[in-house]
Amino acid sequence: MRYLEVLARALLATVFVVAVLGKINRRAAWQDFVQSLRQMRQVPEAAIPWTARMTVTVEALVAALLLVPTRTAGVLGFALAACLLGAFTVMIGLAVSSGNRAPCRCFGASRTPLGVPHMVRNLTLVCVAALGITGLSTGGALEPSPALLAGITGLVLGILTTAAEDIVALVKPIR
């Protein structure tokens, strides 16, 4: 189970690092992210700048905690990831249920409107966080080769998660 923890740490850390970098890598990306919060209409206008800064700060904190190889950092990182992803899921659900189809700027530039796939992705990542905490509870030493394989697998799955919209667009039939 400890290897599941390593995989979950790598997957979630990758997702959150890509999310942060996608929002802050250029001024236009940041402005697009802030505008997407405005378009979702789930945050009062006056709180949008603060919400944007806090979102990126907490995402960075989650990634940092998951990269620190201690039990305490892991528990905090997984718990914070699950809470943040749960909050994102609720906000997306409220936006979608009100007919709002603002673009998802979860990982930076995207024109894909918010929808059920975003909620499913987030809830799946909440499950990954829960599995990570389960792996933490087992204790025991890690063998280097399987730990490296678990870490690389998590990294690849994290990259695939962040690129899912692009992958779907590649295989989607053209209308």
Side-chain angles (χ1 to χ4, degrees), residues 18-34:
V18 171
V20 169
L21 293 177
K23 292 174 183 105
I24 67 168
N25 69 350
R26 350 177 285 292
R27 181 178 293 268
W30 178 255
Q31 291 169 342
D32 288 346
F33 171 59
V34 172

Side-chain angles (χ1 to χ4, degrees), residues 71-151:
R71 185 181 189 328
T72 302
V75 168
L76 290 172
F78 286 131
L80 193 54
C83 290
L84 188 60
L85 290 160
F88 291 164
T89 304
V90 169
M91 285 186 66
I92 292 168
L94 290 171
V96 169
S97 69
S98 69
N100 190 322
R101 302 291 285 165
C104 173
R105 301 288 185 181
C106 309
F107 303 113
S110 174
R111 299 205 189 295
T112 305
L114 294 171
V116 172
H118 297 99
M119 293 185 289
V120 170
R121 177 199 60 213
N122 290 349
L123 291 174
T124 301
L125 292 173
V126 168
C127 293
V128 169
L131 289 172
I133 288 176
T134 302
L136 276 168
S137 67
T138 60
L142 291 170
E143 293 294 322
S145 293
L148 180 62
L149 180 60

